[in-house]
Amino acid sequence: MGATEVSIPRTTTGKIRPHQTQNEGLVFEKSAPGKKAYKLPPLDVPAVDPAKVLGDFRRTRSAELPELSEIEIIRHFTRLSTWNYAIDLGMYPLGSCTMKYNPRVNEFVARIEGLAEAHPYRPDALAQGVLEVVDLLQRCLIEITGMDTITLQPAAGAHGEFTGILLVRAWHESQGNPRKKVLIPDSAHGTNPATAAICGYAVENLKSNADGGIDLEALAAQVDEDTAALMLTNPSTLGVFENEIHKIADILHAKGALLYMDGANMNALVGKVRPGDFGVDVMHLNLHKTFSTPHGGGGPGSGPVACKKFLEPFLPVPVLVRRTSTGEQGNEGTSKQGNREQGVGSTKLGPGAGALHWDYDRPKSVGRVRAFYGNTGMFIRALAYILANGPDGLRQTTEDAVLNANYIRKKLEDLYELPYKTPSMHEVVFSDKRQAAKGVKTGDIAKRLIDYGFHPYTVSFPLIVHGALMIEPTESESREELDLFIEAMRSIAREVEETPEVVKTAPHSTRVSRLDEVTAARKPILRWRPDVVRS
Ligand SMILES: Cc1ncc(COP(=O)(O)O)c(C=O)c1O
């Protein structure tokens, strides 16, 4: 329990799911000398003297690893696993992260032996099946984005941005001048300015207008011959679609600058509009957001980069190409030798049209951005999702994601301040303005949500909204689950009025109560040391 004794109002909401509260020591604390989770048979080969084999590299002190029995290890980690929140437990409304359900069909397909066990060193001729999967995903993503060609190599959204801006730089260099700056709106995801800076560009901030969009006049005044690109998230982190995007593209192109679209929020556009049709030159996708592959705790993500044909020579190596009877066919539909045009999705592509292979002979390429070809397991899952939904299913998914966000907006806008009244797409951003008058901040409300059985929404982002509550329900949620979330948020708003201390000291139902986040961030203790006593 926290400092304030509170009871959770069980009657006000149907969604009370107390956090697991077992206590659990560290494995090191449970350790006892001599305990083992294995038993080896007696040695049946000649013994080796480690000192002779390893010399000075021989360990002279014990590794101080915990010693436990098998059942103790299993129980320890199983108990810990129950303390995690997951999309498989309930709604995960973490705005901007698109924590949608990962359908089990994806996992089923990814575990098919021939795909799961394909080794990256397998010769192309013996890997045609998995290469067809990669090729089909590439063609699906090209079709969905309306771009000309693609690389699947980057391992995350931010990594995709990095790759995309490397393409921009390489193209400008090929024109004789890499240019100096990248424009970034104040509503951008933090990875955008970081990307521009790491690619050697100066970052110039672009102020949003009152609707949360780009101010065209301000843009026209800021773009010049030093501008390499504008990095634009569309829909933005405010959940707002940039209606004048084609005009934005025209303004940039008139000065020789490129339009980079952060396509991490494509879950609001798939099946509706295509960035390639509204002037975007290069963009990335987050397969782990839009196409339902697991986010994986910073693990195997995938951030493909799609671009227009003029950027194709700069794509990372290797590039997947198909050997046809008249030459080599890349994704962009141009034969290397025969220069034969084949549209994306053409019946001439796909199995039977010629063998696929990785092409390393690309003199203008920006080089590799990752080992091998990217996270193939994620490609398989994303393709399974795309094929299982089909074009109509994908469009429906987009509509449901937008509908869910707007349902929440409508049901909460009387209690929570809506700083931008522009129509919402896949997420809705409120501010804590009204609750702050009672001394309750967005972070307090988010922590109180945990007591109601929900993962918190995104707190204090985007930065242009002071005290932001950024809520993205995704299409995964049923009306019933949305209603429970709305009920919880309404109940918390009432608590702010009547018993603000309850909210300010939340969470109350978790194993540990309010943590000292500043100390945790500034002085983290990341590994066990026998000399550090836990308080
Ligand atoms: C708009 C936007 N851009 C970029 C990213 C970065 O993607 P990643 O976390 O995969 O690096 C995200 C992640 O959520 C995002 O929401």
Side-chain angles (χ1 to χ4, degrees):
M1 276 294 193
T4 313
E5 292 290 316
V6 287
S7 61
I8 303 167
R10 285 182 188 280
T11 49
T12 56
T13 169
K15 174 84 178 219
I16 292 292
R17 191 159 39 210
H19 205 268
Q20 297 282 351
T21 53
Q22 315 96 305
N23 206 358
E24 187 71 26
L26 302 174
V27 269
F28 296 97
E29 294 164 346
K30 293 172 190 291
S31 173
K35 278 196 180 181
K36 279 193 172 44
Y38 63 90
K39 196 169 173 193
L40 296 178
L43 198 63
D44 59 357
V45 291
V48 171
D49 178 1
K52 264 199 193 146
V53 180
L54 300 172
D56 290 348
F57 294 111
R58 184 176 163 241
R59 180 187 281 282
T60 52
R61 247 176 4 104
S62 142
E64 291 179 22
L65 295 174
E67 297 174 81
L68 289 99
S69 70
E70 181 173 324
I71 192 171
E72 285 170 319
I73 296 168
I74 292 293
R75 284 188 179 155
H76 173 71
F77 286 107
T78 304
R79 284 195 292 255
L80 286 185
S81 75
T82 65
W83 297 351
N84 276 342
Y85 192 87
I87 186 68
D88 289 351
L89 281 173
M91 184 172 162
Y92 208 128
L94 199 64
S96 202
C97 293
T98 317
M99 305 302 285
K100 64 166 75 175
Y101 173 65
N102 304 150
R104 289 303 178 266
V105 67
N106 299 358
E107 298 306 317
F108 175 79
V109 177
R111 282 167 176 72
I112 293 174
E113 200 183 331
L115 297 175
E117 293 182 6
H119 195 281
Y121 279 135
R122 190 182 281 184
D124 294 345
L126 301 178
Q128 287 299 300
V130 73
L131 293 186
E132 287 295 346
V133 168
V134 173
D135 179 62
L136 183 54
L137 176 64
Q138 293 194 157
R139 286 187 286 126
C140 287
L141 296 179
I142 287 172
E143 176 69 30
I144 286 168
T145 56
M147 305 298 279
D148 296 332
T149 187
I150 196 163
T151 173
L152 304 184
Q153 223 178 88
H159 196 195
E161 292 170 32
F162 171 71
T163 308
I165 296 298
L166 284 187
L167 298 184
V168 169
R169 177 177 268 283
W171 181 76
H172 280 300
E173 271 168 2
S174 75
Q175 306 298 299
N177 176 8
R179 302 198 168 196
K180 297 199 176 106
K181 64 180 183 187
V182 168
L183 303 181
I184 300 188
D186 50 10
S187 62
H189 196 262
T191 48
N192 291 186
T195 294
I198 212 162
C199 291
Y201 285 114
V203 175
E204 205 167 286
N205 196 20
L206 205 60
K207 245 181 120 33
S208 300
N209 62 24
D211 294 333
I214 297 281
D215 183 328
L216 293 189
E217 273 180 31
L219 175 69
Q222 252 172 288
V223 186
D224 56 23
E225 268 74 24
D226 279 338
T227 311
L230 164 71
M231 289 182 87
L232 184 69
T233 306
N234 196 23
S236 72
T237 52
L238 287 167
V240 171
F241 185 76
E242 192 62 65
N243 281 321
E244 314 232 68
I245 182 110
H246 56 295
K247 292 189 192 158
I248 292 171
D250 290 345
I251 292 171
L252 291 160
H253 292 156
K255 296 275 175 162
L258 302 186
L259 176 54
Y260 182 98
M261 188 177 115
D262 179 329
N265 296 336
M266 269 298 284
N267 58 319
L269 306 185
V270 173
K272 291 293 193 182
V273 289
R274 308 191 317 161
D277 298 336
F278 52 63
V280 170
D281 298 299
V282 49
M283 64 178 291
H284 80 266
L285 295 161
N286 285 35
L287 296 191
H288 45 292
K289 288 180 43 155
T290 306
F291 297 100
S292 82
T293 68
H295 283 58
S302 183
V305 173
C307 60
K308 289 285 169 64
K309 198 163 171 165
F310 69 95
L311 293 172
E312 187 276 333
F314 309 103
L315 285 178
V317 278
V319 169
L320 193 60
V321 294
R322 191 181 290 282
R323 247 180 221 123
T324 66
S325 51
T326 54
E328 287 191 343
Q329 180 76 47
N331 265 313
E332 74 284 8
T334 310
S335 165
K336 253 185 166 180
Q337 293 152 30
N339 202 27
R340 195 168 51 122
E341 287 289 333
Q342 283 188 340
V344 166
S346 150
T347 49
K348 289 179 194 145
L349 293 175
L356 290 163
H357 75 108
W358 293 111
D359 181 13
Y360 292 82
D361 179 19
R362 310 195 56 99
K364 293 188 181 166
S365 165
V366 295
R368 265 187 184 284
V369 294
R370 195 184 181 283
F372 300 115
Y373 323 109
N375 284 320
T376 313
M378 297 304 121
F379 307 161
I380 297 164
R381 287 172 174 84
L383 184 61
Y385 173 82
I386 290 170
L387 296 181
N389 275 292
D392 292 341
L394 289 176
R395 189 176 307 111
Q396 180 75 51
T397 294
T398 301
E399 289 170 2
D400 289 350
V402 174
L403 179 67
N404 281 0
N406 280 284
Y407 183 69
I408 290 176
R409 170 176 165 156
K410 201 77 211 137
K411 294 280 186 177
L412 292 181
E413 66 187 358
D414 60 326
L415 295 179
Y416 292 91
E417 185 76 16
L418 193 63
Y420 289 90
K421 308 288 184 278
T422 328
S424 294
M425 298 287 288
H426 60 298
E427 59 198 357
V428 54
V429 180
F430 294 104
S431 91
D432 64 9
K433 194 170 170 196
R434 295 184 210 171
Q435 291 71 29
K438 291 269 180 184
V440 177
K441 303 280 177 50
T442 174
D444 304 322
I445 300 166
K447 287 187 197 308
R448 183 63 176 144
L449 253 186
I450 299 172
D451 289 333
Y452 283 82
F454 290 98
H455 191 281
Y457 50 77
T458 293
V459 169
S460 304
F461 180 79
L463 298 178
I464 50 170
V465 173
H466 186 76
L469 292 71
M470 188 192 211
I471 300 169
E472 181 176 12
T474 83
E475 75 281 1
S476 305
E477 303 309 328
S478 64
R479 165 96 184 262
E480 289 73 21
E481 186 80 1
L482 293 177
D483 282 339
L484 291 172
F485 175 78
I486 289 161
E487 217 181 313
M489 288 295 288
R490 296 190 70 84
S491 176
I492 295 171
R494 271 197 305 277
E495 289 173 345
V496 171
E497 295 301 318
E498 294 160 10
T499 50
E501 275 311 303
V502 170
V503 184
K504 277 160 63 175
T505 52
H508 304 283
S509 58
T510 48
R511 181 172 167 267
V512 284
S513 168
R514 194 164 276 230
L515 298 173
D516 180 349
E517 290 173 0
V518 176
T519 304
R522 301 234 166 111
K523 296 183 194 161
I525 300 172
L526 300 177
R527 74 183 172 86
W528 179 78
R529 290 211 332 246
D531 52 318
V532 176
V533 181
R534 291 194 307 158
S535 56

